[in-house]
Structures are given as structure tokens and as C-alpha cells.
Amino acid sequence: EAAEKERAAAVAADRERLSAEAADAEAAARAAAEAVAVEYGDPWEPPIYTIDAAVAAGSFFDGTRGDERTSWSRTGAALGITTAHDLEAGRDIDEAFAEEGLTVVSGEFRVGGQEHFYLEPMTCLAEPTDDGGISVLSSTQGVDKTHKTVARLLNLPAAKVVSKVRRMGGGFGGKETRTAFVAAACAAAAYKVNAPVRLALRRDVDMGTTGGRHPFVVKYTAAARRDGKGVPKLAALKAQLYSNGGAFLDLSGPVMDRALLHLDNCYRWPAFSARGVVCRTHTPPNTAFRGFGGPQGLIACEHILEHLA
């Protein structure tokens, strides 16, 4: 129990937010933030930043579709916990690869991450209301999530929290969930000092803390054959997908699902088997981005077809 408490208090990600400072002027608030000193103890595990390192360490999220967003294990299989999503279609994959006359290729394809780079960074204005509540004007794609997060943080009834949004200066999925911590910090400060508070992340802070498109590694074996007329036909595809979810589970589960569902692209694979698993690393959580896992699956399939050709 003590170990679990210690783990919960540990810094889990590079550039994780630890505190927020409020002042009458931006310069004063920034000076206060820069004056904060943090003492770190020895890490209780080696830091993991890449998919390769996570796979080598067995660092995967447990219950990717569940609510335990900080739950994870290096030995999920030994604990009887699955960290994988599977998708199968067509005939048995092993029987398909056992047939004679196939051209079989194996390889690996990598897709890097991507920054949303919306023109307007994360920003929020929070104002106390005369009924003891809080009104939050946030640049967000998730008004409801912002509302629930602020209400839970301040321990207020939902009716005491007003969440609003105007036209945003870009989002592209990056403001679907990751705006919640900005709104929460801003609302907490406003509620504490009982005065309006505005919070706008600097571009470097925004890019360094909010995550982006999920990097993927796809390991595959694919097969094709020529039919009786000599025309090439696809025969089978077996793939293992890994994504970098970051330190906390954001939308990595559904992003992985979308990648799996798009891996076959617009082609018919008579035998298809794919497994996806989300890796946990010590980087900021990755999140939604236009296409939501679809582009990673689609482009991996195109690479596989090029390899087969």
C-alpha cells in the first residue's frame, strides 16, 4: 500500500505539470513559476521514452478501454490481464500461411508523431459567479469534459459550473481532452482568489505538455499468390501494432481500435489477423489528431503492399 501511494505521488512524465501560480500581472506569475524548486528522488524505474524501449520492458497499459487510467503492468500476461485488442477476419491465419505457392514478406513500418500546431494555444478564462459557482470560457473541443473536470476538481454541483466555448483558433483533436488540465488550473485559481483568472499556455509549454498524434510501429507478415490466370491476389496479412500512449491513458484505446479497423485499407485480405497494444512511456500523453489512428493503419497497409509488389 505504501509503495502504491509513493508511486501515485511520483512524477510519471517528462514535463508533467506540478503546480500553477497566479498573480496580478503575467510577468509576476511567470517569475513565481520560475522560482518553484522541485527536489527529485531516485527514479523507481528506468525512464522509457520510445516504443522499442516500452516493448523491451513490457511496459503496456492494462485495461486500455477501462477507467483505471493510471493502471499498468510490466507483466500483464503473467497477471492474467490482457493489454491487447485483436481483430480477425476471414479464414484461419495459420492455415492461410501454410499453403504452397505463396510469396511471403515480413517487415516493420514506423509512423512518427505529429504536433497539432493550432494557431491559438491552450487558453481559458475563469470567473467566479454570484451563486458561489464558476464560469469557464475555454478554447476546447470538449465542453462537456471541461465542465465535468472543473466541477469534480472544485467539488461543486454540476449546476454551479458553466462551461462555454467560442470559435477556436484551431483544434484538430488536440483540444478534445487535453484542454481539461488548463481549464482546471485556471478555475482553481479563480475560485481560490475569488477573482477572474486567465491562463494561456506559451507555445513551447503547449507543445511540450499536451501530446500529439500517436507514433506507431507495425510488425507484419503478408502473403500473395498468382491465380490461375497469373493475376496477383492478396492471400493473408498478420500484424502486430504498437502505439506510444504516453504516461497516462488519454484516447489511446480508441485510436488503436481505429488503426486496427483501417489496417486492411480498401483491400480484401482473405485471411486477416491484427493485434494492437498501447505502450506506456514517460512522455506526455498522446491524444486525438485528425484521422484518429486511421492514417497510421492506412499508410502501414500501403507500405505492406509496396513490399509485396
Side-chain angles (χ1 to χ4, degrees):
E1 182 179 355
E4 289 301 320
K5 288 182 179 179
E6 180 181 350
R7 241 179 231 198
V11 175
D14 183 26
R15 301 196 181 190
E16 185 174 344
R17 284 80 53 198
L18 301 180
S19 67
E21 284 65 48
D24 293 335
E26 179 182 348
R30 196 171 303 284
E34 293 174 352
V36 174
V38 181
E39 294 184 5
Y40 297 97
D42 295 330
W44 54 270
E45 61 177 352
I48 298 170
Y49 297 113
T50 66
I51 292 175
D52 291 338
V55 173
S59 180
F60 306 116
F61 277 103
D62 294 337
T64 298
R65 306 178 105 153
D67 293 325
E68 296 183 9
R69 295 182 173 248
T70 59
S71 159
W72 68 301
S73 171
R74 292 183 178 279
T75 56
L79 296 173
I81 302 172
T82 178
T83 62
H85 298 174
D86 297 280
L87 184 63
E88 296 183 354
R91 56 182 301 198
D92 182 80
I93 193 71
D94 294 326
E95 291 181 1
F97 277 111
E99 291 189 351
E100 297 182 355
L102 297 176
T103 296
V104 181
V105 299
S106 295
E108 181 179 285
F109 182 71
R110 294 173 179 265
V111 185
Q114 187 179 6
E115 167 61 31
H116 300 91
F117 210 80
Y118 24 71
L119 294 180
E120 175 195 39
M122 301 283 189
T123 184
C124 178
L125 172 64
E127 299 178 285
T129 56
D130 56 9
D131 63 350
I134 197 88
S135 176
V136 178
L137 177 61
S138 182
S139 178
T140 180
Q141 294 172 262
V143 182
D144 179 63
K145 182 174 183 62
T146 299
H147 178 267
K148 291 178 179 178
T149 300
V150 171
R152 182 175 180 181
L153 174 71
L154 300 180
N155 196 27
L156 289 173
K160 293 281 189 178
V161 178
V162 177
S163 178
K164 299 182 290 185
V165 62
R166 299 185 68 181
R167 293 182 297 276
M168 294 183 299
F172 319 117
K175 294 179 179 177
E176 182 175 343
T177 61
R178 304 304 299 146
T179 53
F181 78 87
V182 177
C186 189
Y191 194 71
K192 179 70 174 179
V193 301
N194 195 32
V197 172
R198 177 178 177 269
L199 173 59
L201 298 189
R202 258 185 1 214
R203 178 65 64 183
D204 61 318
V205 176
D206 190 306
M207 293 178 67
T209 60
T210 60
R213 190 184 294 279
H214 286 73
F216 269 73
V217 172
V218 181
K219 299 183 178 182
Y220 63 86
T221 299
R225 65 161 56 86
R226 293 186 182 275
D227 64 12
K229 298 180 180 180
V231 178
K233 298 288 186 180
L234 298 177
L237 173 61
K238 184 175 184 179
Q240 171 71 62
L241 281 67
Y242 298 100
S243 70
N244 186 341
F248 302 101
L249 196 56
D250 189 88
L251 293 169
S252 300
V255 167
M256 176 59 75
D257 285 347
R258 184 68 65 85
L260 288 169
L261 290 167
H262 281 66
L263 184 62
D264 59 350
N265 207 309
C266 59
Y267 310 105
R268 181 179 179 274
W269 297 89
F272 178 91
S273 177
R275 168 169 288 193
V277 61
V278 179
C279 299
R280 174 163 182 168
T281 63
H282 297 96
T283 64
N286 287 309
T287 188
F289 202 126
R290 285 284 180 89
F292 204 76
Q296 291 96 316
L298 292 169
I299 196 171
C301 185
E302 292 297 331
H303 169 82
I304 292 168
L305 288 181
E306 290 283 348
H307 194 174
L308 270 174

